[in-house]
Each structure stands twice: as C-alpha cells, then as structure tokens.
Amino acid sequence: MSIEIIIQKAAVEAIKSLYQGEVNENQVQVQNTRKDFEGDITIVVFPFLRLSKKSPELTAEELGKYLTENVDLIESFNVIKGFLNLVISNEYWLGILGESYSNKNYGFKTVGEDAELVMVEYSSPNTNKPLHLGHIRNNLLGHSISEIVKANGKKVIKTNIVNDRGIHICKSMYAWQKWGNGETPESSGLKGDHLVGKYYVEFDKHYKAEIAELVESGMAKEEAENQAPSIIAARELLRKWEAKDQETVELWKTMNGWVYKGFDVTYKTLGVDFDKIYYESDTYLVGRDEVLRGLDEGIFYKKEDNSVWADLTGEGLDQKILLRSDGTSVYMTQDIGTAKMRFNDYSIDKMIYVVGNEQNYHFQVLAKLLDKLGFKWGKDLYHFSYGMVELPSGKMKSREGTVVDADDLVEGMVQVARDMSAELGKLENLSEEESENTFKMIALAALKYFILKVDPRKNMMFNPEESIDFNGNTGPFIQYTYARIRSVLRKAAEQNINITDSVTVDALSVKEKELLKRISLFPAAIVEAGDNFSPALIANYCYELVKEFNQFYHDHSILGETDENKRNFRLLLATVVSSVVQKGMGLLGIEMPERM
RNA sequence: GCUCCGGUAGCUCAGUUGGAUAGAGCAACUGCCUUCUAAGCAGUAGGUCAUGGGUUCGAAUCCCGUCCGGAGUACCA
C-alpha cells in the first residue's frame, strides 16, 4: 500500500472522529510536500472546512494532531494556511529501501498464465521507401508501450502490419524496370530499402516532368496527373499484380525482399522487434470478404457505380467508401481484414493501434465498422494516437526530400558520441569493440530519450541543424549517472565491502530522504504510464531521480564515509537507484552502460 | 465551412484528480577538477502560462467567446 493511500484512509477516519463527517478517500487531497517546506506529505484541508466549520488553520491543526497521535508512521506536522504538512518517520522510508533491495521487482508485475492479452500494432511501414524520423517515433513508442504494458502484468503480442501492396510499390517497381539497369543492393552497395526508395523518388521525378510536359501542351493538370505515361504504367503493374501475373509477382517479391532486409537492419539498430508480422497482401482479401458479407447482410450498401459504402451519418460521422467501383480494396478494407485475422489467431482482450494522429478519424470509423460487422471487440480497440514530428521547415515530405532518414540519423549520432567521447578522454582503456558498443548505446539513448520524453500526443519539433543533445535532460546524462554509480559499486566490491539490507541510520539528510521518496514512487509511475500510455512519464521520472542522485552524490561521500552503517545505507541507496533507473530506462528500450 | 488537437522563458519541453512563490534542459553570463567519472555540481538572468470573460476559498489546469498554428474531412495509405 502506498503512502498516499495510507494517509488518505487515516484522514477519512480522522474526519469521522473529529467532525462526525463522512468523506470519500478521493476527496482527501494528498500531495508531495513542496521542497521549501518541512514535511513529506501534504493534505489540503479546504475541502473539510464545511464539516469542521472552523478556519483552515485550526482544522489543519486538529487534523494534524489527530493523525500524529493515531498513525505510527506520522511523526510530526506543521501547518501553513490550509496546508497540513506531515513528516513521515525515517523507519518508513528505510523500510521502502530495504524492501526494494531484497524484493528486486521494483513495481514490475509478473505476467501470469491467465493474464489479459494485449496486442500492440506498431511500425506498419510501406515497402516503397526507407524508414524516417516519423517512423522512429512510432517504433519507439510502440516498443516502449509494449514494455510498459508488460510491466503492468499483461501478456503482450507485438505486431506489425506491412503495407506491401498497392500503387506505391508499383511505382518503385516500374521505375526500377525502366531506369534501373538491373541494379541490386549487392551491385550498388545500397541498403535494400534505400535502393527501392531511390526508385520511388526516380519515379516521382519522371512523373512530375511528364505532367509538366502535358500541361505545357494544353492539358488540364488533373487530367495530366491521370494520363502521364508513368502513372499509367504503374497502374498497369498493379493490375497485373492483382491478376497474379508471374513476372510481376516475382519482381514484387524481389524488391520487397530487399526492403525487408533493409528494415530488419534498422529495426535491429533501434532495438525493436515483433512477435507476429502481418502483410496487407494476405489480409486485404479477407477484408474484402468481410465487406461483401456486410453488404449481403444489409449493413453496407452499393452505389450505381458498384462502389460499396457504409453510412455512418447516424453515428455522427460521414459515408465511408469500403470498396472502389472497380471492386478493389481501400485502406479501411484492409484494416477490417487484418483485425479479423488477428482475432482469429489470438484470443485478444485488448487491441492497441500505435498510429499517428492524422488517422484519428480512420480509427473512429474502423471501431464503428467492426462493431457493425458484429465483432464484439470492435468498439474496444484503442488508437494510441501520437503527434507528428515537425521540422523547422514544416512537415516531413518524402517526395520533397525533407525527410530525416532513420539510418542516417542514427549513424550521425553514433559519430557524435565517438567524437565527444574522444574529446572528453573517456573509454580509453576499453577495447575498440567495447567502446563501439558503448557509443551505439549512448547515441541510441540520446535519440530514444529525446523522442520518448515528450508527451506522445503532442507534435514535436526536431531541428536537423542542431544535433540532439548529450548534456542536460538527456538519455546520456542518465546513463552517465548510472555508470558512475556502477563504478562506485565496483570499487566497493573490490574493497570487499558487503552490502546488507538491514539499515540502521537514525538521521537522514534532506537529499537522502528525497531520494527515498522518489524510489517509493516508482511502482506508481509504472502504473500511471500504463494507464496513460505515456513513456514520457517514465522518462521524466528517471531524469528527476537521477538529477536528485547527482546532487546527493556531489555532497555525500559514499566510499569515503567512515561510519559503517551510513556507508552501508548509501551503498544500498546507490544500488537501488541504479536498479530503478535501469528498469525504468529499460521500459524505454534504453540500455545502460557499465562505463562511459 | 465543419470536426478534432494544440498555444507555458529566446529555443525544446515538464507541470499530478484545480492547491502554496510557475519547473527543467539548451543557448547567455559567474564560479568549481590534488577529493567515489566535470557527459557533472553550484549560481545569475530570463514568464501578462495566446487573449477576453466566467465558475471558487484558490485556475496554466474546468466552462464560454476570440485570435494564431496543426491535422482530418467520401474511391491515397
């Protein structure tokens, strides 16, 4: 039971006994005492004035007196205006520390056999171009939220739906056929996804030129966009693909294969993975069948041009197309099929889609459609909607070349880590392999933390001109503090100092107590991050803990402490802090180096 | 037009179910490496929380209006 709840319950009793009044536990506003006041936990007494019929000060005095007398772990109190500051006993805080040290799960719940099954969809790339910064945000959020849900005791299946078919890949295929001269990843030395992306750009270049030419010769722009030879050729490829033309399917397989190889490298670098991958080419037909079933059952309707629609005007939404007039699937059709396949494959209790907020409307509609089709789980799907990554120049657009490529970004940051480390004279006695490993760890920590520390729902700004920071509120700062703690613990071990979990210290410094308070809040942070789908909460928690530790570290000697009890206590504290930070950062997919 | 989201320091972001004097980092300026790692610590400066009203003991937070920005809006994914 957390300290807040203990205090809340006690306060409810106190109000009953003092004023014969009933209050709900939630009405007891408990918060951490601000640093500039004495005390640990503060109760706001304003809500009780109508019961006490006394001034805020007097009410707080009476409540404080009652609580101090009746609750063991409350040692003393002071009152400032309507705020009752309670001082919690050292024994309580030390108990937290001893328990954390011996128990070691730090608020992580174990996943039982009958735990709720949560499927998390994230990443979901198109196969016509490499991953960029927007995808990185998606991947990191998806992976992190999976870890957080797991830590809250749920079974998680991470899934990826790959958009492997459609006009986009046909554009790359056509351009490669026409201008590729048989180029392959091997012959060009390019990563597969980059090679295919190159031909996507190539397509667009020619396509644009053709449109310009047609417009020049007097054609309307819209018509030109439909009549340009390149787009006609790409559409023809799509038709051939849908008709299972062997040569086309072979090319499609080959080029997608290149892309998957490339993606695998990027995923591995980012440290994300999946338990199950779905491909649109497998699910779109299932979706089409579902839509046709809906049509038979009168849930959907058909227009004269043979297109199939859902009427959602009754639900406050619009009409939505589900099958084009030529009978082919749209995005929504595919998502219906994918959902059906997933629920057939697994007994999913909750489905989470990690998809950008530009698709809020799409998921609103999807939930309604699945519900209409009779899937119980339809309306329970959760769209984890995150904000866009913006550049100073505005939105990222692949065609305009304003994207920040994922691989380039990571490589650039590893280089910065290398340079900085050399400049600071770090890691000089490590082998090249070990230091390279550490540079990667640091670079990825900087990138991941930079992205995950901001509220996922908000758009975020990334300035490619200024490289991501390694100082201040950053991943490397947290790693650095961790590495220093580990270094102290190594030295303690070298000196044969044993750490025991029996703590006997009678006076705690302000900083020590502050650290203990923060440690005690970690389990609550995990729950909160899970409830709010917010890795940012964990990131900020870790930063504050580590910042606090750095200050502590600065003015408290650990190994130099001569009082053995105190030294033991501080070593214990350092151990627990490092474990909590490691666990917390683990939830963000950030590894902690032993040295840096 | 309509719907949704956002606006906090020069910049990037925090800000607990409404609570005390608004919090970090970056950038700027001052100090601190003979002491467990200076990717650090201590400090200075920087705010009409877009704006106008309302609710109340109390509002960055809740409600209404206005302005600005972003996204979506029936055969792209």
Side-chain angles (χ1 to χ4, degrees):
Chain A
M1 194 157 49
S2 78
I3 184 79
E4 280 86 0
I5 296 176
I6 297 172
I7 303 278
Q8 280 178 332
K9 285 189 191 296
V12 169
E13 286 305 308
I15 297 292
K16 197 188 280 177
S17 146
L18 287 171
Y19 310 121
Q20 292 76 46
E22 289 291 333
V23 288
N24 191 302
E25 273 171 41
N26 309 340
Q27 288 173 277
V28 184
Q29 290 184 47
V30 178
Q31 53 194 279
N32 263 321
T33 305
R34 287 180 68 108
K35 268 190 187 168
D36 17 322
F37 297 104
E38 193 204 341
D40 301 308
I41 301 285
T42 295
I43 298 179
V44 184
V45 300
F46 288 107
F48 313 135
L49 298 187
R50 60 183 177 83
L51 295 170
S52 73
K53 301 194 172 62
K54 288 173 185 160
S55 71
E57 288 83 356
L58 194 52
T59 309
E61 282 290 341
E62 289 179 345
L63 191 57
K65 191 155 176 278
Y66 182 96
L67 289 172
T68 312
E69 281 167 5
N70 291 282
V71 183
D72 281 348
L73 54 82
I74 300 176
E75 228 167 48
S76 60
F77 72 95
N78 65 80
V79 174
I80 295 167
K81 290 193 272 181
F83 299 91
L84 168 59
N85 301 325
L86 302 169
V87 178
I88 308 299
S89 72
N90 285 351
E91 286 71 35
Y92 176 82
W93 298 118
L94 292 175
I96 297 269
L97 183 62
E99 200 191 326
S100 301
Y101 182 75
S102 44
N103 194 343
K104 288 201 168 37
N105 51 12
Y106 302 102
F108 280 59
K109 297 191 185 67
T110 45
V111 180
E113 265 309 300
D114 52 351
E116 197 182 329
L117 180 70
V118 180
M119 179 176 266
V120 180
E121 172 197 298
Y122 69 99
S123 200
S124 312
N126 288 352
T127 57
N128 61 325
K129 51 179 189 280
L131 271 30
H132 59 65
L133 185 53
H135 297 114
I136 293 186
R137 191 176 193 190
N138 179 301
N139 282 292
L140 297 182
L141 284 172
H143 185 258
S144 178
I145 207 67
S146 301
E147 293 303 312
I148 290 169
V149 169
K150 252 189 247 172
N152 279 297
K154 287 163 189 160
K155 268 188 262 183
V156 171
I157 295 177
K158 290 172 279 186
T159 187
N160 186 356
I161 171 78
V162 180
N163 281 317
D164 60 344
R165 59 152 226 126
I167 194 72
H168 49 83
I169 179 68
C170 291
K171 287 178 181 175
S172 293
M173 282 158 62
Y174 169 72
W176 182 85
Q177 276 183 325
K178 182 107 180 168
W179 302 291
N181 298 317
E183 192 175 35
T184 65
E186 291 74 27
S187 74
S188 64
L190 278 175
K191 212 163 148 270
D193 50 337
H194 290 254
L195 179 68
V196 174
K198 177 178 146 187
Y199 285 100
Y200 187 67
V201 172
E202 191 69 24
F203 175 91
D204 205 60
K205 211 169 75 193
H206 286 90
Y207 180 41
K208 279 218 176 96
E210 289 165 8
I211 293 172
E213 206 173 298
L214 289 171
V215 169
E216 186 90 346
S217 66
M219 192 182 277
K221 191 169 182 239
E222 221 168 279
E223 202 189 345
E225 282 169 1
N226 277 312
Q227 296 301 323
S230 293
I231 193 72
I232 289 175
R235 288 205 186 113
E236 176 58 20
L237 271 180
L238 183 58
R239 257 190 299 278
K240 279 180 165 175
W241 181 87
E242 295 223 355
K244 297 194 164 58
D245 170 68
Q246 204 182 334
E247 195 190 330
T248 308
V249 169
E250 277 309 312
L251 177 60
W252 172 78
K253 275 189 187 162
T254 306
M255 288 183 73
N256 274 343
W258 294 342
V259 171
Y260 297 146
K261 256 197 174 155
F263 283 173
D264 283 347
V265 172
T266 309
Y267 285 145
K268 201 169 170 218
T269 315
L270 290 177
V272 305
D273 54 15
F274 305 95
D275 303 305
K276 171 80 182 172
I277 296 179
Y278 289 92
Y279 297 90
E280 190 194 344
S281 53
D282 296 329
T283 68
Y284 81 106
L285 292 174
V286 177
R288 193 166 68 185
D289 289 347
E290 281 305 306
V291 170
L292 292 175
R293 176 174 70 82
L295 186 62
D296 280 348
E297 293 174 9
I299 304 166
F300 306 136
Y301 68 96
K302 193 180 252 186
K303 286 193 178 170
E304 307 82 41
D305 64 2
N306 272 331
S307 55
V308 178
W309 295 74
D311 182 1
L312 298 173
T313 48
E315 278 97 338
L317 300 174
D318 258 323
Q319 319 252 347
K320 184 75 194 171
I321 188 160
L322 298 174
L323 289 176
R324 295 193 189 92
S325 42
D326 62 4
T328 55
S329 304
V330 295
Y331 179 37
M332 188 61 76
T333 327
Q334 160 229 320
D335 261 2
I336 292 170
T338 310
K340 179 169 179 175
M341 280 181 76
R342 286 171 173 161
F343 280 83
N344 281 348
D345 293 347
Y346 301 94
S347 60
I348 298 168
D349 295 300
K350 192 178 179 83
M351 180 71 217
I352 297 171
Y353 292 86
V354 182
V355 182
N357 62 13
E358 53 195 350
Q359 291 185 34
N360 286 353
Y361 184 69
H362 174 84
F363 282 96
Q364 235 178 310
V365 173
L366 179 64
K368 295 238 154 60
L369 292 179
L370 291 173
D371 194 42
K372 273 180 182 286
L373 282 165
F375 301 124
K376 283 197 294 289
W377 33 266
K379 56 182 175 300
D380 295 329
L381 71 83
Y382 181 80
H383 175 204
F384 177 7
S385 158
Y386 63 90
M388 305 285 96
V389 179
E390 286 167 355
L391 304 175
S393 55
K395 222 189 148 185
M396 272 188 275
K397 295 204 173 106
S398 350
R399 288 178 196 156
E400 290 167 21
T402 56
V403 289
V404 176
D405 179 80
D407 300 312
D408 294 350
L409 180 60
V410 173
E411 191 36 61
M413 296 197 58
V414 174
Q415 190 52 47
V416 174
R418 244 180 238 127
D419 295 346
M420 205 179 245
S421 187
E423 204 178 305
L424 294 169
K426 305 265 182 180
L427 302 180
E428 276 159 352
N429 44 7
L430 288 190
S431 73
E432 187 163 332
E433 197 192 341
E434 279 172 314
S435 27
E436 268 307 304
N437 226 333
T438 310
F439 298 147
K440 272 188 202 149
M441 249 189 234
I442 294 169
L444 280 166
L447 175 61
K448 290 181 179 185
Y449 189 87
F450 176 81
I451 286 174
L452 292 175
K453 79 167 177 193
V454 330
D455 184 337
R457 289 165 306 194
K458 292 189 180 173
N459 287 359
M460 65 180 293
M461 177 62 67
F462 174 77
N463 189 346
E465 302 296 314
E466 309 163 7
S467 58
I468 294 174
D469 241 303
F470 287 69
N471 300 321
N473 184 356
T474 65
F477 167 64
I478 294 170
Q479 290 179 316
Y480 171 69
T481 307
Y482 176 84
R484 287 206 298 184
I485 296 176
R486 298 298 297 169
S487 169
V488 170
L489 296 177
R490 270 196 306 273
K491 287 189 170 140
E494 278 165 22
Q495 295 171 29
N496 292 319
I497 299 172
N498 279 324
I499 305 177
T500 66
D501 59 357
S502 62
V503 196
T504 47
V505 177
D506 34 54
L508 293 174
S509 72
V510 176
K511 289 253 181 288
E512 287 170 333
K513 206 151 129 181
E514 195 58 39
L515 278 169
L516 291 172
K517 274 162 84 169
R518 286 191 197 281
I519 289 168
S520 75
L521 291 173
F522 187 52
I526 296 176
V527 173
E528 208 185 335
D531 290 348
N532 296 306
F533 291 91
S534 182
L537 282 168
I538 300 287
N540 288 319
Y541 173 91
C542 290
Y543 174 66
E544 307 230 319
L545 177 65
V546 155
K547 192 176 161 59
E548 196 72 47
F549 185 84
N550 252 307
Q551 294 167 359
F552 159 81
Y553 184 84
H554 184 252
D555 43 41
H556 293 69
S557 177
I558 298 177
L559 294 174
E561 176 57 56
T562 46
D563 180 333
E564 265 187 50
N565 279 327
K566 269 193 184 170
R567 189 184 61 194
N568 181 65
F569 164 70
R570 287 178 188 169
L571 280 167
L572 199 57
L573 188 60
T575 308
V576 172
V577 168
S578 68
S579 302
V580 165
V581 167
Q582 189 185 32
K583 289 272 188 182
M585 296 297 270
L587 292 175
L588 308 181
I590 296 174
E591 290 180 275
M592 293 287 125
E594 290 294 311
R595 300 158 213 271
M596 71 178 273

